[in-house]
Amino acid sequence: MDVAVLGATGDVGRQVVTQLVERRVLPTTSRLQLVGRPGGASGRAVHGLRADLVDAYDEHAPLIDVAHSPADVVADVVVVAAGATTPARSGASLDRTGLAVANREVFAEYADAIARHGSGHEVVIVVSNPVEVGVAVMARALGARRVVGMGAWLDTLRFRREIAVELGVRRHRVGGFVGGQHGEDAVPLWSTVRLSGHDLAERDRAVRLLRRGRTLDAFPDEIAAAKAELVAVAATDVGAAYRLIDTWPADLRVVARPWMTHQSGAKTATATASATVDLVEVVLDGREIVVAGQVALDGEVALAGEPQRGVLGVPLVLGPEGWTRVLLDSLPDDETHRLRGAAAAVGSALRTAGVVGGPGGSAAGAAGAAGPERTDGPEAAEPSWVAQVEGVHRAGTLTGLTGVFSTRGVSFEHLATEEVEGDGDAGTIHVSFRASERRARALERAVGRLATVRSVVVHGAPRETAAPPRERGR
């Protein structure tokens, strides 16, 4: 399977592509597409980034190529890391409305291009802020189930880490989720916390100690007070500000620590990318796994008996086709109240930014649609192609060729090899297959980069004449 990263040369995008390669998420026959903007700095930088990645990770790097036009994005998983960001500096505030207006058109341009030219099966992971705006725009164009916002998963990992630190264990021993809106309207769902090796009574005692007698009812006021205190302390000693955060309850630290990191002049690109790559791995893994994410709901979950329609961060089941269901049991009153507040805040933000939808909004049903209407089935919509490949006559040529096709979910209709002539060093392989034009061109580029392939030409062919002239059994 292939992955495209929109905004690959930005702070987060660069970390995403680097971690995808470092963590060996993609096999060498898969394709990683670095997407920049034509005529700008990123349009030039994607070429250099590709060269740098190959220099660093040649032994296990996937096939890496670049794209500049939204219409050229071809992948099974699309990571949206493009768009404007808020400067990381002391005193900077996150203007979500301004950011939403600035990035709305970026989201819309890519969403429209994927809807028009894509396979109809891409899973989109939205990273750019505001995550909820990106999810709303993408879901309306592509279908709600294929679009997940990364923010709730990053907040969830932070929540688990803060609990783990306080208990003196590693994060993988802690379960639990954060929902709501990414950022200051994040909602720590304490009722979902699970601790490895603790029975129910032990877990309840631990959670009571961690919460320090507090509920989420006062959480927004606590966040506002924490930010004001941090600004005052950090004015003279940033280290002291972080030490102050360490004294606060775990759920408050989830919001305060990354906010302080942004104020310090640093960014949270590494953690953001790591959470994003986690979700990419889940989609590529082929299994359904419980994570958290911002999604466009159309009544899949109810809060206080009221079905939610709009974008909200929730625990969900994610798999190769996108998310399939929400896993949210009945919640305590304080968590329900905060989630409803976050849903209202998201809806208001979407309307202010000019994005139709939100809780109770008229676009909720559209966001839950199955995506662009297709009058024919996938098979009828995909033309036939013939690839003529000149490959080195050695073991591994056919294996590499079939690997490129199989990892992209494209099957051969026919495969034939011509007799090796001359010095016996190379031969011609004919492959016929069905795919969209964009996927066929992506296959042509990927096959052409195999070390055992000297040249490849892909051309269209009517289905009845797609079989190569000499078919040889394999």
Side-chain angles (χ1 to χ4, degrees):
M1 299 181 76
D2 301 335
V3 176
V5 179
L6 315 184
T9 62
D11 291 323
V12 173
R14 186 181 294 266
Q15 279 283 341
V16 168
V17 298
T18 300
Q19 291 189 32
L20 282 170
V21 179
E22 278 187 340
R23 289 165 58 170
R24 306 191 185 193
V25 174
L26 299 172
T28 55
T29 53
S30 285
R31 180 166 153 271
L32 175 59
Q33 188 178 53
L34 314 180
V35 185
R37 301 288 291 182
S42 68
R44 295 167 54 87
V46 285
H47 294 284
L49 177 58
R50 178 188 178 276
D52 191 34
L53 289 169
V54 173
D55 282 346
Y57 306 108
D58 183 64
E59 290 78 10
H60 60 266
L63 299 164
I64 303 175
D65 70 4
V66 303
H68 296 101
S69 169
D72 290 334
V73 175
V74 183
D76 302 288
V77 181
V78 179
V79 176
V80 182
T85 61
T86 299
R89 64 174 184 269
S90 179
S93 61
L94 179 59
D95 178 7
R96 287 189 172 273
T97 299
L99 201 59
V101 172
N103 286 341
R104 179 191 60 206
E105 294 307 316
V106 176
F107 297 143
E109 183 180 12
Y110 281 112
D112 183 63
I114 295 169
R116 289 175 181 272
H117 306 292
S119 67
H121 303 289
E122 298 92 346
V123 175
V124 176
I125 299 172
V126 179
V127 181
S128 305
N129 277 315
V131 169
E132 293 79 15
V133 173
V135 170
V137 172
M138 291 280 178
R140 190 165 64 237
L142 305 175
R145 299 304 178 99
R146 291 165 52 196
V147 182
V148 178
M150 174 281 314
W153 182 237
L154 175 58
D155 293 334
T156 290
L157 292 174
R158 288 168 171 164
F159 186 40
R160 294 178 180 181
R161 177 189 174 275
E162 296 295 357
I163 292 173
V165 167
E166 201 152 335
L167 295 177
V169 299
R170 301 304 295 267
R171 181 165 59 188
H172 69 271
R173 296 188 59 190
V174 177
F177 298 94
V178 172
Q181 184 179 22
H182 181 49
E184 294 171 22
D185 265 317
V187 182
L189 301 174
W190 282 101
S191 62
T192 66
V193 170
R194 299 293 182 269
L195 305 173
S196 177
H198 289 60
D199 61 26
L200 188 59
E202 291 171 330
R203 186 214 69 150
D204 288 345
R205 284 195 296 272
V207 167
R208 282 197 300 272
L209 290 172
L210 289 167
R211 299 193 70 174
R212 307 183 191 182
R214 303 157 47 256
T215 70
L216 294 180
D217 292 332
F219 199 51
D221 293 335
E222 290 179 337
I223 292 172
K227 289 169 60 177
E229 190 171 3
L230 288 174
V231 167
V233 174
T236 56
D237 190 342
V238 173
Y242 278 102
R243 291 191 292 274
L244 176 61
I245 293 172
D246 289 336
T247 67
W248 291 341
D251 51 4
L252 186 54
R253 298 198 302 266
V254 169
V255 177
R257 198 183 301 278
W259 184 85
M260 189 64 241
T261 298
H262 208 71
Q263 292 289 306
S264 74
K267 296 185 178 181
T268 59
T270 304
T272 300
S274 181
T276 303
V277 174
D278 283 350
L279 297 185
V280 173
E281 282 191 291
V282 170
V283 175
L284 298 182
D285 184 73
R287 298 177 295 166
E288 292 192 325
I289 298 173
V290 180
V291 295
Q294 272 75 17
V295 294
L297 298 172
D298 190 22
E300 291 88 351
V301 63
L303 297 174
E306 180 181 343
Q308 297 300 298
R309 291 182 172 84
V311 179
L312 191 65
V314 289
L316 52 87
V317 178
L318 181 64
E321 303 300 323
W323 65 277
T324 56
R325 60 190 185 277
V326 176
L327 296 181
L328 198 62
D329 295 330
S330 179
L331 298 172
D333 290 344
D334 64 329
E335 294 178 8
T336 297
H337 177 72
R338 287 305 317 138
L339 271 182
R340 293 186 67 182
V346 171
S348 176
L350 294 181
R351 290 188 291 272
T352 300
V355 180
V356 179
S362 60
E373 182 180 357
R374 295 174 180 266
T375 55
D376 298 313
E379 186 70 17
E382 294 181 339
S384 293
W385 304 87
V386 173
Q388 183 172 313
V389 182
E390 184 183 1
V392 176
H393 182 52
R394 68 173 65 158
T397 299
L398 285 178
T399 301
L401 177 64
T402 56
V404 168
F405 277 76
S406 65
T407 56
R408 287 153 181 80
V410 177
S411 300
F412 299 148
E413 289 192 328
H414 300 278
L415 184 146
T417 57
E418 291 185 2
E419 297 290 348
V420 176
E421 299 178 355
D423 59 7
D425 181 56
T428 302
I429 307 166
H430 298 274
V431 180
S432 64
F433 60 96
R434 295 183 69 86
S436 68
E437 181 175 357
R438 297 173 75 240
R439 190 167 292 274
R441 297 309 171 198
L443 284 164
E444 183 177 30
R445 289 195 297 269
V447 170
R449 286 186 172 149
L450 292 174
T452 55
V453 169
R454 292 182 174 177
S455 67
V456 56
V457 177
V458 173
H459 57 85
R463 183 175 177 83
E464 60 271 17
T465 60
R470 283 191 289 174
E471 183 175 348
R472 301 179 66 87
R474 293 183 64 244

